[in-house]
Amino acid sequence: PKLPIVILTGQDDLDEAIELLKCGAQEYINKNDITAYKLVRCVSYAKERINNELQLRNELSESTKRYKQLEQISKHDFLTQLPNRSYFESVISQNLYNAMRTGKSLALLYMDLNGFKKINDTYGHEVGDELLKQVAYRLKDGSRRTDFIARLGGDEFVILTDQLEYRSEVFSLVSRILKGFEKSFHIGHHKISCQPSIGVAYYPEGST
């Protein structure tokens, strides 16, 4: 792909020349009309064009990479790397529509951390931030692969389940999450106990 291609042909067909260029050739020359000067110029143009193509390809690749990075930043919480409120709102809208179409249930678990403000005031915001990171990890560890976890802000988190066959599926999920908080959090020299409060809402009882 980095090699300039020159098509040398006995046919003088403009449509064919255009098709060859679309297939990746950089230049097209008729051998019945060839001279040393034309051949040198043709090869020179082919080199210039392949270099321009490669440069453009690299720029597009970098642009795509930057776009993906910006998209990742815009959709995720900087601290915990979980999806943020904006991303969550777009996902729940789609999931509610899918649940309505299939006639199945969804569950939304809303939780915050008991005494988080006191932890911040006592140990400082750096410890509080590290606690939120560890909480995010434990939530991911206790949830199922199909559950969607997001941080809404502060110490507020949500877990949106996949479509449910039975509501009792949520009880085991809540139990696993609570079990994940039984162990203390170790942050620096501090050993901190922290428990969540969790509320559950169901669709279709809650339609929004």
Side-chain angles (χ1 to χ4, degrees):
K2 296 182 180 179
L3 186 70
I5 299 171
V6 176
I7 302 297
L8 180 63
T9 176
Q11 299 184 40
D12 193 10
D13 186 335
L14 181 59
D15 290 336
E16 184 182 5
I18 291 171
E19 285 302 313
L20 289 166
L21 293 174
K22 285 181 179 178
C23 289
Q26 278 69 48
E27 276 293 335
Y28 178 98
I29 189 170
N30 192 313
K31 65 183 181 182
N32 297 320
D33 191 33
I34 196 169
T35 65
Y37 172 75
K38 285 183 178 180
L39 182 60
V40 169
R41 187 179 64 175
C42 188
V43 171
S44 177
Y45 284 168
K47 287 181 178 179
E48 184 179 348
R49 283 178 180 164
I50 191 68
N51 288 334
N52 289 340
E53 287 175 17
L54 291 172
Q55 183 180 354
L56 180 60
R57 199 177 303 164
N58 288 335
E59 288 174 358
L60 287 172
S61 177
E62 283 297 315
S63 178
T64 301
K65 183 179 177 182
R66 284 196 298 271
Y67 174 78
K68 288 181 177 178
Q69 288 173 340
L70 288 172
E71 188 178 36
Q72 175 79 4
I73 291 169
S74 70
K75 288 185 173 181
H76 289 78
D77 171 54
F78 178 77
L79 183 64
T80 63
Q81 301 305 308
L82 290 176
N84 58 19
R85 179 187 291 271
S86 175
Y87 190 10
F88 163 71
E89 288 176 352
S90 65
V91 167
I92 194 171
S93 296
Q94 183 62 46
N95 285 23
L96 284 171
Y97 172 77
N98 292 338
M100 179 184 67
R101 189 168 50 83
T102 60
K104 292 188 177 181
S105 295
L106 291 177
L108 176 66
L109 283 66
Y110 171 88
M111 60 168 284
D112 62 6
L113 305 177
N114 300 333
F116 181 70
K117 183 178 184 303
K118 185 177 180 181
I119 292 170
N120 259 345
D121 293 342
T122 304
Y123 301 104
H125 287 281
E126 287 187 5
V127 172
D129 287 349
E130 181 59 31
L131 175 62
L132 292 172
K133 291 180 187 178
Q134 293 190 24
V135 165
Y137 176 81
R138 293 193 189 186
L139 289 178
K140 286 188 283 189
D141 192 46
S143 301
R144 302 167 302 181
R145 186 178 55 84
T146 54
D147 295 327
F148 183 86
I149 311 168
R151 181 189 176 208
L152 299 186
D155 63 330
E156 299 174 323
F157 296 85
V158 289
I159 300 175
L160 179 65
T161 68
D162 199 3
Q163 296 181 34
L164 302 172
E165 295 289 344
Y166 307 101
R167 285 192 172 189
S168 56
E169 297 174 52
V170 175
F171 304 151
S172 58
L173 173 60
V174 172
S175 295
R176 286 197 306 274
I177 292 170
L178 292 175
K179 188 173 180 61
F181 282 81
E182 289 177 357
K183 293 181 181 178
S184 298
F185 294 86
H186 293 270
I187 303 172
H189 301 296
H190 307 296
K191 183 179 178 182
I192 300 171
S193 295
C194 183
Q195 296 294 323
S197 291
I198 304 175
V200 183
Y202 291 97
Y203 174 86
E205 286 74 9
S207 60
T208 67

